[in-house]
């Protein structure tokens, strides 16, 4: 079956004054996939994401989201996307239930906070304040807020940075379950192991340019086909596998 394109970026550029942070990038995201924008710090990942999210002005190029032109229909685009806010945006004195009600109000949706807390496995934190949550719980809560308007696409900007291995795996499961429900996910990361296990397709961005795009599998196969070999004999497990094997997958955040 032909995959349907839900986001199409064509020759996108962004200048901050004289500095060109995004230098004419083009890529497509298919409906229902987890698409990764990979790159080192400063590569232009957040800038690109925020432009698609309608939160930042582009300098030039064309952005189409679900058939809508960003230049013509930004408000229509806002209605079908879920955006993670910077965490400092949460009112400190409200609990999670109250925060979700507030978000529901912003989107003009009559929501049941308990349903959203259940989706991200935070039912027992309904009365907790955001600042009382662990790092992984904070990320799960902010993902819950992206789902309130039942978006077709959600954007996650480095959601696993700073999390321990258990919380990271837990978040991967959550992101996969969001994909299973039919939502397209765009995620940025600089962790290549994460992209390899989580993303259906990736674009690698460096200094504002896309230098590769494909599925992780094909990118690896292409490299191997050039005769590339790892300098050291590769073991069948790594230290993180040892760590997870020893400590278990259960979350440690209560
Ligand atoms: P990434 O998310 O990949 O780390 P960013 O998109 O945040 O990269 O930033 C890309 C480049 O643009 C960096 O060199 C950064 O310093 C610069 N940059 C980002 N935001 C601004 C801004 N508001 N003003 C000026 N330069 C910026
Ligand atoms: Mg960034």
């Amino acid at each position: 079956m032909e995959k349907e394109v839900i986001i199409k970026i064509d020759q996108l550029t962004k200048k901050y004054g004289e500095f060109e942070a995004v230098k004419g990038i083009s890529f497509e995201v298919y409906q229902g996939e987890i698409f990764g924008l990979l790159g080192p710090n400063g590569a232009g990942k957040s800038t690109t994401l925020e432009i698609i999210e309608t939160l930042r002005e582009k300098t030039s190029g064309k952005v189409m989201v679900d058939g809508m032109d960003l230049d013509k229909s930004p408000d229509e685009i806002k209605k079908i996307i879920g955006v993670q806010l910077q965490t400092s945006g949460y009112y400190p004195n409200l609990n999670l239930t109250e925060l979700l009600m507030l978000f529901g109000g912003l989107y003009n949706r009559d929501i049941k906070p308990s349903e959203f807390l259940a989706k991200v496995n935070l039912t027992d934190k309904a009365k907790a304040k955001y600042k009382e949550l662990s790092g992984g719980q904070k990320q799960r809560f902010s993902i819950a807020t992206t789902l309130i308007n039942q978006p077709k696409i959600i954007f996650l900007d480095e959601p696993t940075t700073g999390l321990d291995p258990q919380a990271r795996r837990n978040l991967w499961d959550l992101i996969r379950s969001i994909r299973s429900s039919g939502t397209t996910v765009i995620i940025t990361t600089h962790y290549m192991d994460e992209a390899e296990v989580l993303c259906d397709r990736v674009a690698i961005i460096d200094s504002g340019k896309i230098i590769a795009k494909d599925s992780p599998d094909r990118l690896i196969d292409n490299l191997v086909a050039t005769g590339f070999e790892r300098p050291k004999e590769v073991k069948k497990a790594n230290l993180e596998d040892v760590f997870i094997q020893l400590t278990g997958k259960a979350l440690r955040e209560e």
Side-chain angles (χ1 to χ4, degrees), residues 58-121:
K58 62 183 164 60
T59 302
S60 67
K62 195 170 165 73
V63 175
M64 297 291 293
V65 180
D66 198 27
M68 297 178 279
D69 189 332
L70 180 75
D71 291 329
K72 294 179 189 138
S73 321
D75 293 337
E76 296 307 307
I77 290 175
K78 279 194 186 95
K79 287 182 192 155
I80 62 137
I81 64 173
V83 171
Q84 241 184 336
L85 291 184
Q86 296 303 312
T87 49
S88 53
Y90 299 125
Y91 289 89
N93 291 318
L94 300 184
N95 66 38
L96 301 192
T97 302
E98 292 162 339
L99 282 171
L100 286 168
M101 294 293 285
L102 181 72
F103 273 92
L106 293 177
Y107 286 111
N108 216 355
R109 297 239 174 189
D110 191 15
I111 61 146
K112 281 208 185 74
S114 56
E115 278 177 18
F116 288 88
L117 291 174
K119 274 185 198 177
V120 298
N121 202 8

Side-chain angles (χ1 to χ4, degrees), residues 187-206:
I187 180 173
T188 69
T189 182
H190 52 250
Y191 299 125
M192 297 305 130
D193 61 327
E194 171 164 293
E196 191 178 338
V197 297
L198 189 62
C199 297
D200 299 301
R201 289 188 320 121
V202 301
I204 300 178
I205 177 167
D206 190 22

Side-chain angles (χ1 to χ4, degrees), residues 9-15 20-27 43-44 47-48 51 58-63 204-211 213:
I9 310 292
D10 201 19
Q11 289 299 316
L12 178 68
T13 71
K14 173 66 182 179
K15 280 189 180 170
E20 197 171 33
V22 175
K23 304 186 175 103
I25 64 173
S26 303
F27 62 89
T47 298
T48 303
I51 290 169
K58 62 183 164 60
T59 302
S60 67
K62 195 170 165 73
V63 175
I204 300 178
I205 177 167
D206 190 22
S207 304
K209 286 189 185 139
I210 288 184
I211 50 179
K213 49 189 162 181

Side-chain angles (χ1 to χ4, degrees), residues 198-244:
L198 189 62
C199 297
D200 299 301
R201 289 188 320 121
V202 301
I204 300 178
I205 177 167
D206 190 22
S207 304
K209 286 189 185 139
I210 288 184
I211 50 179
K213 49 189 162 181
D214 213 328
S215 67
D217 234 20
R218 271 197 294 271
L219 289 173
I220 294 165
D221 287 349
N222 291 345
L223 177 64
V224 172
T226 66
F228 176 90
E229 274 180 43
R230 282 199 172 169
K232 202 169 109 185
E233 193 190 330
V234 181
K235 296 184 182 173
K236 286 196 173 115
N238 63 21
L239 188 58
E240 183 154 312
D241 296 322
V242 174
F243 180 81
I244 289 288

